[in-house]
């Protein structure tokens, strides 16, 4: 084990040298920041030091020795699994830290935990930041999108290192101080909720083209690569094209066909839906994306049910090229509606939690590095530059016009999918969201009447102000 080269001079220390932690630290080292790593597994420290051999790096598998490497006041970042591991690390760190030191949790922590930790640590004189990092392993290594929250003074201490190591779009770093307290983790959570919905939508387009049109993997690869070149372009579209081109080295078959249709999850999508429900913000496509992952893992039940309901998926009888063209437009319209839902949640959370989010800045830092990066975010950024406090993108005249141009195709794709029997809950929920949001009248008057009927819950009237109750049993 290499020992400390020089003590107390490393600008940032990383706890947890798994792939994400190691890559993010190497990225910082690439930008000429002296950094140190800690992992209780000496092999991981060794691997980090080897990979960073040409840089100014150090490390240790002993926590006190690692802490001794760091410049004061210290900045310690951790990339460990969310939950109790974060508290364990904090508890181990505390006796070794001095007032004014900074701890940054760069994992996908629940924002509610972040608020508790930030307050508790601040009372002890320790700064704490909850920071979202997106972009997977490659992003961490070569430029992620970074969503730091917490006290602005704490951010200023690590600003230069974060700006240098973040992704850049047209020279602008994909990092900004998003807000106080748990704002960083909240924004990252919503990023992931949008990610869930987009992935569900893309998987439904795959199903429609595979089972509905009978397209093979080469054709699917071509379609997604074509879509990625235009207004639909984005990271998820790009990797989808690549996935259909990949062979399994063992079987030499297309790898996609060897992968079980059971989607796992670590919870951020569900947290987004939970938060949306708590704040009364409708995010139906995110909700349904979580539900469909839950349904996907019921493999045995689905196998039995498939025998009980033998209605085969029918192949679409019309023109396939026309279908793909309309599907592309429906994808675009639905993607706009998914971003609208996620960002409307940010808008409400911003005032509810006192985050003071700058939605234009969030769209800006999501344009590069992160999983949901897409051309659309440039347009979204323009909307929020024009109207910073817009509650929903669908209220912007320019954005609305684009959605309106594509909504007929969302409707068409939804209708055809229902006829051939392919489940498209993401398309359906975006369409219903759109149709409900754009409707001045909704049938909720009946729900109010029912509530008042069975529970005297009262109702409001359209013709006068006040709260009313009817004795519904009276004839
Ligand atoms: C990112 C990803 C990252 C992680 C997801 C996966 O932004 O880099 O979102 O955070 O890959 O959390 O989440 P699930 O395991 O829940 O799909």
């Amino acid at each position: 084990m290499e020992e400390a080269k020089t003590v107390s001079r490393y600008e940032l220390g990383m706890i947890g040298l798994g792939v994400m932690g190691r890559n993010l630290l190497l990225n910082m080292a690439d930008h000429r920041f002296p950094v140190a790593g800690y992992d209780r597994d000496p092999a991981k420290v060794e691997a980090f030091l080897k990979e960073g051999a040409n840089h100014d790096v150090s490390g240790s598998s002993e926590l006190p020795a690692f802490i001794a490497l760091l410049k004061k006041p210290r900045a310690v970042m951790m990339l460990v699994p969310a939950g109790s591991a974060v508290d364990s690390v904090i508890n181990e760190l505390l006796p070794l830290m001095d007032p004014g030191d900074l701890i940054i949790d760069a994992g996908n922590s629940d924002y509610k935990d972040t608020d508790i930790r930030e307050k508790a640590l601040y009372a002890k004189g320790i700064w704490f930041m909850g920071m979202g990092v997106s972009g997977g392993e490659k992003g961490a290594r070569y430029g992620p999108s970074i969503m730091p929250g917490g006290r602005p003074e704490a951010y200023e201490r690590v600003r230069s290192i974060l700006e240098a190591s973040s992704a850049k779009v047209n020279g602008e770093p994909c990092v900004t101080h998003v807000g106080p307290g748990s704002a960083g983790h909240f924004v990252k959570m919503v990023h992931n909720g949008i990610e869930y919905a987009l992935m569900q939508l893309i998987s439904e387009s795959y199903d429609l083209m595979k089972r509905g049109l009978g397209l093979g993997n080469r054709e699917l690869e071509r379609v997604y690569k074509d879509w990625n070149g235009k207004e639909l372009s984005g990271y998820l579209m790009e990797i989808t094209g690549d996935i259909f081109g990949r062979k399994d080295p063992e079987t030499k078959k297309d790898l996609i066909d060897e992968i079980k249709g059971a989607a796992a999850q670590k919870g951020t999508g569900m947290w987004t839906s939970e938060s949306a429900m708590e704040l009364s913000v409708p995010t139906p496509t995110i909700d349904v994306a979580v539900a469909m992952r839950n349904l996907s893992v019921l493999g045995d039940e689905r196998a039995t049910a498939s025998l009980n309901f033998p209605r085969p998926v029918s192949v679409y009888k019309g023109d396939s090229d026309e279908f793909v063209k309309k599907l592309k437009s429906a994808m675009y319209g639905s993607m706009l509606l998914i971003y609208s839902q996620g960002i409307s949640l940010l808008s409400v959370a911003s005032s509810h939690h006192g985050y003071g989010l700058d939605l234009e800045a969030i769209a800006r830092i999501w344009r590069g590095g992160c999983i949901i990066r897409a051309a659309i975010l440039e347009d979204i950024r323009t909307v929020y530059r024009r109207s910073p406090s817009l509650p929903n993108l669908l209220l912007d005249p320019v954005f609305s016009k684009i959605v309106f141009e594509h909504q007929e195709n969302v409707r068409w794709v939804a209708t055809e999918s229902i006829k051939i029997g392919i489940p498209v809950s993401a398309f359906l929920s975006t369409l219903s969201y759109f149709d409900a949001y754009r409707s001045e009248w909704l049938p909720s008057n009946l729900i109010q009447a029912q509530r008042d009927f069975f529970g005297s819950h009262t109702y409001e009237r359209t013709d006068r102000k006040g709260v009313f109750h009817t004795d519904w049993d009276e004839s």
Side-chain angles (χ1 to χ4, degrees), residues 108 134-136 188 191-192 195-196 264-268 293 371:
N108 273 334
S134 177
K188 176 59 181 18
H191 165 285
N192 281 28
E195 172 187 304
Y196 270 55
Q265 54 186 315
K266 290 199 281 291
T268 44
R293 286 202 193 189
I371 305 296

Side-chain angles (χ1 to χ4, degrees), residues 118-414:
E118 205 254 346
K119 284 195 184 83
L121 286 167
Y122 194 69
K124 293 181 181 9
I126 307 289
W127 303 81
F128 183 73
M129 286 170 64
M131 185 175 93
V133 178
S134 177
E137 297 170 12
K138 269 205 178 150
R141 184 68 186 84
Y142 301 108
S145 173
I146 308 179
M147 295 150 252
R151 288 166 202 264
E153 310 91 292
Y155 174 66
E156 286 307 319
R157 294 207 1 222
V158 282
R159 179 187 183 139
S160 57
I161 199 164
L162 296 180
E163 284 187 352
S165 46
S166 73
K168 311 282 177 307
V169 176
N170 304 330
E172 290 177 295
C174 293
V175 58
T176 188
H177 174 248
V178 293
S182 56
H185 277 148
F186 194 95
V187 170
K188 176 59 181 18
M189 176 192 77
V190 175
H191 165 285
N192 281 28
I194 295 172
E195 172 187 304
Y196 270 55
L198 295 175
M199 289 167 79
Q200 176 62 30
L201 188 79
I202 297 172
S203 76
E204 291 172 9
S205 72
Y206 157 49
D207 195 1
L208 285 168
M209 289 189 280
K210 181 185 167 68
R211 291 196 293 170
L213 301 183
L215 299 196
N217 293 332
R218 291 299 77 71
E219 288 159 304
L220 288 165
E221 179 185 0
R222 192 179 45 72
V223 169
Y224 286 112
K225 288 197 165 160
D226 172 57
W227 287 1
N228 185 44
K230 311 273 165 48
E231 73 268 26
L232 276 181
S233 80
Y235 176 72
L236 286 169
M237 208 57 79
E238 176 191 328
I239 63 167
T240 304
D242 290 348
I243 287 167
F244 285 106
R246 183 57 65 94
K247 292 275 180 212
D248 176 11
E250 265 175 51
T251 62
K252 313 284 182 231
K253 293 181 185 161
D254 290 348
L255 183 55
I256 185 71
D257 296 331
E258 308 293 294
I259 298 175
K260 196 169 162 184
Q265 54 186 315
K266 290 199 281 291
T268 44
M270 181 184 76
W271 296 344
T272 311
S273 284
E274 282 174 355
S275 304
M277 298 278 176
E278 278 167 16
L279 296 176
S280 307
V281 179
T283 56
T285 317
I286 297 172
D287 307 342
V288 102
V290 177
M292 292 309 281
R293 286 202 193 189
N294 294 338
L295 207 150
S296 79
V297 297
L298 303 177
D300 292 342
E301 287 181 39
R302 287 191 288 110
T304 308
S306 72
L307 303 175
N308 292 349
F309 304 103
R311 182 191 190 275
V313 164
S314 45
V315 173
Y316 177 68
K317 302 281 184 322
D319 180 345
S320 288
D321 290 343
E322 194 57 26
F323 192 110
V324 173
K325 231 170 111 192
K326 289 186 169 172
L327 182 58
K328 180 184 175 189
S329 158
M331 287 288 291
Y332 189 56
S334 299
M335 283 169 74
L336 298 175
L337 288 160
I338 288 169
Y339 283 98
S340 303
Q341 292 172 43
I343 298 175
S344 70
L345 173 57
L346 289 182
S347 170
V348 173
S350 178
S351 32
H352 182 86
H353 293 301
Y355 292 149
L357 300 177
D358 174 347
L359 298 177
E360 189 227 320
I362 290 167
R364 170 168 62 76
I365 65 169
W366 282 355
R367 288 176 311 153
C370 65
I371 305 296
I372 65 166
R373 64 183 185 259
I376 288 172
L377 282 156
E378 192 65 61
D379 302 328
I380 295 177
R381 180 195 183 182
T382 310
V383 172
Y384 282 104
R385 187 186 282 153
R386 209 168 29 234
S387 325
S389 55
L390 199 71
N392 194 308
L393 282 161
L394 297 177
L395 300 176
D396 178 76
V398 181
F399 190 88
S400 306
K401 204 163 157 267
I402 306 172
V403 173
F404 203 64
E405 278 164 19
H406 294 277
Q407 55 95 25
E408 276 311 331
N409 286 323
V410 182
R411 204 173 298 287
W412 186 88
V413 165

